[in-house]
Amino acid sequence: MASIPYKIFLSENEIPKQWLNLRAAMKNKPAPMLDPETKQPVTFEQLQRVFCDELARQELNETDLYIDIPEGIIDFYKMFRPSPTIRAYNLERELGTPAHIYYKYEGANTSGSHKLNSAVAQVYYAKEQGITSLTTETGAGQWGTALAMASAFYGVDLTVYMVKGSAMQKPHRKEVIRTFGAEVIPSPSMTTEVGRRINEKFPNTTGSLGCAISEAVEKATTTENCRYVLGSVMNHVLLHQSIIGLEAKAALQKYGVYPDIVIGCAGGGSNLGGLIAPFAVDKINGTHNPEFLAVEPSSCPSLTRGSFVYDYGDTGHMTPLIKMYTLGSEYIPASSHAGGLRYHGMNSVVSQLYDDGLMKATSYKQTEVFDAATTFAKVEGILPAPESSHAIRAAMDEALRCKETGEEKVILFGLTGTGYFDMPAYEQVNNGTMTDYVPTDDEIKKSIESLPKF
Amino acid sequence: MASIPYKIFLSENEIPKQWLNLRAAMKNKPAPMLDPETKQPVTFEQLQRVFCDELARQELNETDLYIDIPEGIIDFYKMFRPSPTIRAYNLERELGTPAHIYYKYEGANTSGSHKLNSAVAQVYYAKEQGITSLTTETGAGQWGTALAMASAFYGVDLTVYMVKGSAMQKPHRKEVIRTFGAEVIPSPSMTTEVGRRINEKFPNTTGSLGCAISEAVEKATTTENCRYVLGSVMNHVLLHQSIIGLEAKAALQKYGVYPDIVIGCAGGGSNLGGLIAPFAVDKINGTHNPEFLAVEPSSCPSLTRGSFVYDYGDTGHMTPLIKMYTLGSEYIPASSHAGGLRYHGMNSVVSQLYDDGLMKATSYKQTEVFDAATTFAKVEGILPAPESSHAIRAAMDEALRCKETGEEKVILFGLTGTGYFDMPAYEQVNNGTMTDYVPTDDEIKKSIESLPKF
């Protein structure tokens, strides 16, 4: 076996030709989305009012394990994929661990994260269907950037509702999105009915992904030939993100390596679900038995402290009901620097796997996360996004446990993005002024109790 | 011949084991640096007071065509090299040109530019020699970031004098440098004698690379066990940057491609000199006849409008005299968004090649440059640095000329870095408020006439 290089690159021809639909392999399928009026499973026809047709089809597809990636999407993928799978030799040395640490690095494209994997697919399908404009929400701004890049490339108009807190923290991120030709509106805004309602109810809110989703959906459903696209939570997004796991598995396979534990940060769940997809299929089929670990912020702990119930996907209650781990759709997470993880719920596939005991979850405070981020940057030479740094923190802790036990575990984690637009957060670290927020049990209980009962 | 992929990656084992010392191949060597007092060539002993020994040796070495890269440097290179050579298929289609456009992309590391190539080497040699602290200057912040990364990795203290204009335009860039543990001081500062003198003479100055160099040199020569390191202009920096050209040549060779023209942006000249190095050796030896094009900002046109004379490398006149194209060492370029190109002079190798007619030069206004940058970002999916965008602009114009003539020229340009920390500049583009400044002939004449005569 050849010695393992720092960066394992697949060739352009090794870009997967099919996405992996994890649901098709699950014995216990996630519960269907429900229409809030009828309490019946949502139909293709209902979804297609909001999403373009192919995405609606993919959203409901729980039978095909593999779904072909169109040539027009692969052509865009070639501009930034395959992404490297990196052996963290320097981090291992820094920690003095016998563990072997690998990370799949999705940050080396201009959008700065894995979000581009799904953005390309979603804009491609919209364009094919003759859709002329799209709306979306963005938290940390990574999804908005990715979608702006894809929209510029395929020639589709784009309006981005950006969580107000992130828009204030990251004015430069906003300019990147504008540079690619999209319009950026801080959310909650006064441009939609739901935005005006939320602003009235919570006058000083810094917004949330849930609010921004409501605004984008309203705009899409009230504008001609317009559709809504979403960067996480949905099953079709998880499907597109399976390319992360597929490439990582193929890269490791070249050197006869298989992970003992796969770690990913979890906001809406798409990166985590995509990373673990092929390994989870192996686990379900019984060919391997890797562990999976979801890492969330203590300020927004949907898996570790939420409830597994039917809830709305958005704060404005415009979406179908999703059976998921949730803190309650009206829960507005405290402002934190991991804007991409400030979502009240969790993708239904990830939720189901977690509820079935196929996945573990843990949470960290942001000061703990940034400690890990800074160490990682210094030894691995990559400045990580706050979101991704949750996975780094957990991987480091796992490696330190191996140091105590002497285990040579193979750890794989997802490094979803870079922190170039998170410097105000790092500035707080540099100045020693970063603080933490952990919701009380009462706050969470109250938020869950306010949920509609189904 | 296999079809050419979007990105040509070399394997880790193909990282060059030696740098290429272009000077050794030049028939007309650049004139030696002179001691301003004695007017004699500077000696190793003089250089070694400012630079660490190995760099002083490399600076004076004009006989060895190849110089071994130590294993300890290659180990760091493996974290971010080889960098990809990219075929700009989408840009070619956008322009409708028969030209084949390639670019060597040096921006996919955390420092965001090619600067890391030399930073790693310089800190490595300092550490080997037992130096405990380093000083440097930074313009756009790319060099400061690169050096902070290398200093964090090897465990050496670092003080960065950052051009005041850049520090104001790029507060986030400053925080990246601090995140890697370095101290950042806006220049001209009140912490050095030369800084205080410059502040008194030009009270509202936004600084320049020349000023910042003076401050860093003063600090290095007045601090124990401290050395100065420089990100451009010097011949040893050009030497380290030859890895860009060596990799690009090896990548193209795999597909039987040789460039007809090689284009690079030119500030101090190190990226350009490094990119063209192996091709220039071929040209000098007569085995190939590629064209070379240096691209500068109209606001700081040292090659296109400067004089080829002996001048100081810095504004404070603390450095040796260098025979180079210069606008005069007291020339303070107008504030512009290409901070990394705001230098009054030009590396002596590049200057000599230009003077000997082996290289051409051109200049662009920043609005022209950002037009190209925005188009490039939309079709190639990479947000370029303003500095790098000068090369993009020239490459696009060359490709458009090919469209008129029908020539299938092979164009290779250097994409030195990303624009993530240049969003205030892109914001001006997005808002239509960017302006240009071109110095008058009188201004340049006056600046040159004020030079000391040798």
Side-chain angles (χ1 to χ4, degrees):
Chain A
M1 190 66 62
S3 76
I4 298 169
Y6 274 78
K7 301 187 294 295
I8 309 174
F9 271 109
L10 301 175
S11 78
E12 192 168 287
N13 296 329
E14 292 171 297
I15 294 177
K17 304 283 181 293
Q18 298 180 310
W19 292 300
L20 180 60
N21 185 16
L22 172 53
R23 264 174 309 168
M26 290 169 73
K27 287 170 184 146
N28 217 0
K29 309 275 185 213
M33 282 190 289
L34 299 183
D35 180 314
E37 305 280 314
T38 66
K39 311 289 183 300
Q40 292 303 304
V42 293
T43 61
F44 173 75
E45 289 68 29
Q46 287 175 305
L47 282 180
Q48 119 193 102
R49 279 174 227 146
V50 178
F51 298 104
C52 61
D53 298 358
E54 183 55 30
L55 296 174
R57 258 189 294 276
Q58 292 179 355
E59 188 59 32
L60 297 173
N61 185 335
E62 52 182 36
T63 50
D64 298 321
L65 186 58
Y66 289 97
I67 293 180
D68 288 344
I69 307 177
E71 203 53 46
I73 292 175
I74 298 226
D75 276 349
F76 194 125
Y77 278 176
K78 285 180 182 170
M79 285 165 62
F80 70 103
R81 306 205 68 82
S83 70
T85 303
I86 303 180
R87 173 76 183 267
Y89 283 116
N90 293 314
L91 182 61
E92 290 171 21
R93 191 163 45 227
E94 174 76 12
L95 300 175
T97 179
H100 294 199
I101 309 175
Y102 294 86
Y103 53 99
K104 178 67 172 167
Y105 180 39
E106 292 288 317
N109 68 73
T110 279
S111 79
S113 84
H114 68 293
K115 296 286 185 182
L116 196 51
N117 299 329
S118 187
V120 173
Q122 296 194 42
V123 180
Y124 173 85
Y125 288 127
K127 179 75 179 183
E128 286 288 293
Q129 195 183 319
I131 302 297
T132 52
S133 71
L134 294 169
T135 69
T136 196
E137 86 300 332
T138 198
Q142 293 179 328
W143 170 244
T145 308
L147 201 65
M149 283 178 66
S151 298
F153 189 83
Y154 291 113
V156 175
D157 285 343
L158 175 66
T159 305
V160 178
Y161 291 88
M162 184 169 187
V163 177
K164 201 179 269 176
S166 295
M168 293 186 306
Q169 276 172 5
K170 307 186 179 189
H172 294 179
R173 178 61 91 172
K174 185 176 125 192
E175 290 306 325
V176 179
I177 300 174
R178 290 181 69 206
T179 298
F180 283 98
E183 185 182 7
V184 180
I185 300 176
S187 165
S189 77
M190 301 303 278
T191 67
T192 62
E193 260 197 59
V194 61
R196 288 188 289 271
R197 211 166 62 225
I198 295 168
N199 269 318
E200 198 174 312
K201 194 161 171 189
F202 307 99
N204 296 316
T205 180
T206 50
S208 72
L209 280 174
C211 300
I213 292 172
S214 303
E215 290 206 272
V217 170
E218 179 180 326
K219 166 90 176 182
T221 50
T222 56
T223 306
E224 205 185 342
N225 210 13
C226 181
R227 288 293 185 284
Y228 168 61
V229 287
L230 186 54
S232 191
V233 186
M234 303 299 283
N235 293 324
H236 63 267
V237 182
L238 214 75
L239 173 73
H240 306 150
Q241 295 299 355
S242 68
I243 198 161
I244 303 174
L246 289 166
E247 281 187 9
K249 193 180 173 195
L252 293 179
Q253 224 155 25
K254 280 188 190 260
Y255 295 90
V257 174
Y258 197 94
D260 295 305
I261 179 166
V262 184
I263 301 172
C265 63
S270 71
N271 124 72
L272 175 69
L275 175 65
I276 68 166
F279 305 105
V281 171
D282 290 347
K283 188 177 178 103
I284 291 165
N285 292 342
T287 60
H288 288 84
N289 193 23
E291 285 182 81
F292 303 120
L293 181 62
V295 193
E296 359 181 75
S298 302
S299 59
C300 194
S302 47
L303 284 175
T304 48
R305 297 177 66 194
S307 301
F308 190 42
V309 293
Y310 266 109
D311 188 11
Y312 291 97
D314 67 324
T315 311
H317 296 182
M318 302 186 64
T319 71
L321 296 167
I322 306 173
K323 177 89 180 286
M324 61 180 174
Y325 275 86
T326 176
L327 295 164
S329 47
E330 295 202 354
Y331 182 81
I332 300 222
S335 185
S336 88
H337 290 291
L341 304 183
R342 294 179 68 232
Y343 181 66
H344 66 272
M346 183 60 63
N347 165 272
S348 65
V349 169
V350 171
S351 291
Q352 190 64 51
L353 291 173
Y354 179 64
D355 202 62
D356 290 345
L358 292 166
M359 181 190 292
K360 293 178 179 163
T362 188
S363 72
Y364 286 104
K365 294 177 190 161
Q366 64 177 356
T367 49
E368 299 170 323
V369 165
F370 274 92
D371 265 1
T374 308
T375 299
F376 184 83
K378 286 179 181 166
V379 300
E380 286 290 321
I382 291 175
L383 188 76
E387 293 82 1
S388 325
S389 302
H390 286 72
I392 294 175
R393 175 75 214 206
M396 284 170 66
D397 282 356
E398 186 66 31
L400 289 171
R401 271 189 291 276
C402 290
K403 189 179 179 177
E404 286 180 21
T405 61
E407 280 176 287
E408 288 188 23
K409 258 193 193 176
V410 175
I411 301 170
L412 169 66
F413 72 87
L415 184 61
T416 51
T418 56
Y420 299 129
F421 293 101
D422 299 284
M423 293 326 296
Y426 279 98
E427 185 174 10
Q428 288 186 2
V429 176
N430 295 338
N431 295 337
T433 58
M434 180 170 280
T435 57
D436 288 313
Y437 181 80
V438 181
T440 64
D441 287 341
D442 258 13
E443 274 176 276
I444 291 180
K445 199 174 146 208
K446 225 169 104 184
S447 171
I448 301 279
E449 280 173 357
S450 75
L451 283 186
K453 299 287 176 298
F454 304 99
Chain B
M1 191 66 61
S3 77
I4 297 170
Y6 274 76
K7 300 186 296 292
I8 309 174
F9 271 109
L10 301 175
S11 78
E12 192 170 287
N13 297 327
E14 292 172 297
I15 294 176
K17 303 283 181 295
Q18 299 179 309
W19 291 302
L20 180 60
N21 185 16
L22 173 53
R23 264 173 308 165
M26 289 168 72
K27 287 170 183 146
N28 217 0
K29 308 277 185 215
M33 282 192 290
L34 300 183
D35 179 315
E37 304 282 314
T38 66
K39 312 290 184 300
Q40 293 303 304
V42 293
T43 62
F44 173 74
E45 289 70 27
Q46 286 175 308
L47 282 180
Q48 128 194 93
R49 278 174 228 147
V50 179
F51 298 104
C52 61
D53 298 358
E54 184 55 31
L55 296 174
R57 259 188 294 276
Q58 292 179 356
E59 187 60 32
L60 297 174
N61 186 335
E62 54 180 36
T63 50
D64 298 321
L65 186 59
Y66 288 98
I67 292 179
D68 286 344
I69 307 177
E71 203 53 46
I73 293 174
I74 297 219
D75 276 349
F76 193 125
Y77 277 175
K78 285 179 182 170
M79 286 164 62
F80 71 102
R81 308 206 65 82
S83 70
T85 303
I86 304 179
R87 173 75 184 267
Y89 283 116
N90 292 315
L91 182 62
E92 290 171 20
R93 190 164 45 228
E94 173 77 13
L95 300 175
T97 178
H100 293 200
I101 309 176
Y102 294 87
Y103 53 100
K104 178 68 171 165
Y105 179 40
E106 292 289 316
N109 69 73
T110 279
S111 81
S113 83
H114 68 293
K115 296 285 184 181
L116 196 52
N117 299 328
S118 186
V120 174
Q122 296 194 43
V123 180
Y124 173 83
Y125 288 127
K127 179 75 178 180
E128 286 287 293
Q129 194 183 322
I131 301 299
T132 53
S133 72
L134 294 169
T135 68
T136 195
E137 87 299 331
T138 197
Q142 294 179 327
W143 169 244
T145 307
L147 202 64
M149 284 179 67
S151 298
F153 189 83
Y154 291 113
V156 175
D157 285 343
L158 175 66
T159 305
V160 178
Y161 290 88
M162 185 168 186
V163 176
K164 200 177 271 176
S166 295
M168 293 185 305
Q169 276 172 5
K170 305 186 179 188
H172 294 180
R173 177 61 91 171
K174 186 176 125 193
E175 290 306 326
V176 180
I177 300 175
R178 290 182 70 208
T179 297
F180 284 98
E183 185 184 7
V184 180
I185 300 176
S187 167
S189 76
M190 300 306 275
T191 68
T192 62
E193 260 196 59
V194 62
R196 289 188 288 272
R197 210 165 65 224
I198 295 167
N199 269 317
E200 197 175 313
K201 194 161 172 189
F202 307 99
N204 297 316
T205 180
T206 51
S208 72
L209 280 174
C211 301
I213 291 171
S214 303
E215 291 207 272
V217 171
E218 179 180 324
K219 165 92 175 179
T221 50
T222 56
T223 305
E224 206 185 341
N225 211 14
C226 180
R227 289 293 186 284
Y228 169 60
V229 288
L230 186 54
S232 190
V233 185
M234 304 297 285
N235 292 325
H236 62 267
V237 182
L238 213 76
L239 173 72
H240 306 151
Q241 295 299 356
S242 67
I243 199 159
I244 304 174
L246 290 166
E247 282 186 8
K249 193 181 172 194
L252 293 179
Q253 224 155 24
K254 280 187 191 261
Y255 295 91
V257 174
Y258 198 95
D260 295 305
I261 180 166
V262 185
I263 300 173
C265 63
S270 71
N271 126 71
L272 174 69
L275 175 66
I276 69 167
F279 305 106
V281 171
D282 290 347
K283 188 177 178 103
I284 291 166
N285 292 342
T287 59
H288 288 84
N289 193 23
E291 283 182 82
F292 304 120
L293 181 63
V295 193
E296 356 181 78
S298 301
S299 59
C300 194
S302 46
L303 284 174
T304 47
R305 295 176 69 193
S307 302
F308 190 41
V309 294
Y310 266 109
D311 189 11
Y312 290 97
D314 67 324
T315 312
H317 295 184
M318 303 186 64
T319 71
L321 296 167
I322 305 171
K323 178 90 181 283
M324 61 180 175
Y325 274 85
T326 177
L327 295 163
S329 47
E330 296 200 354
Y331 183 81
I332 300 219
S335 185
S336 88
H337 291 291
L341 305 183
R342 294 180 67 232
Y343 181 67
H344 66 273
M346 181 60 62
N347 165 271
S348 64
V349 169
V350 171
S351 291
Q352 190 65 49
L353 292 172
Y354 180 64
D355 202 62
D356 290 345
L358 291 166
M359 181 190 290
K360 292 178 180 166
T362 187
S363 72
Y364 285 104
K365 294 178 192 162
Q366 65 178 355
T367 49
E368 298 170 324
V369 164
F370 275 91
D371 264 2
T374 308
T375 300
F376 184 82
K378 286 179 181 165
V379 300
E380 286 290 320
I382 292 175
L383 188 76
E387 293 82 0
S388 324
S389 303
H390 286 72
I392 295 174
R393 174 75 215 206
M396 284 171 64
D397 282 356
E398 185 67 31
L400 289 171
R401 270 189 293 276
C402 289
K403 188 179 180 175
E404 285 179 21
T405 63
E407 280 176 285
E408 289 188 23
K409 257 194 195 176
V410 175
I411 300 170
L412 169 66
F413 72 87
L415 185 60
T416 53
T418 56
Y420 298 129
F421 293 100
D422 299 284
M423 294 324 297
Y426 279 98
E427 186 175 9
Q428 288 186 1
V429 176
N430 295 337
N431 295 338
T433 57
M434 180 171 278
T435 57
D436 288 314
Y437 180 78
V438 181
T440 64
D441 287 341
D442 258 13
E443 274 176 277
I444 290 179
K445 200 174 145 208
K446 224 169 106 184
S447 170
I448 301 278
E449 279 172 357
S450 76
L451 282 185
K453 298 288 176 298
F454 303 100

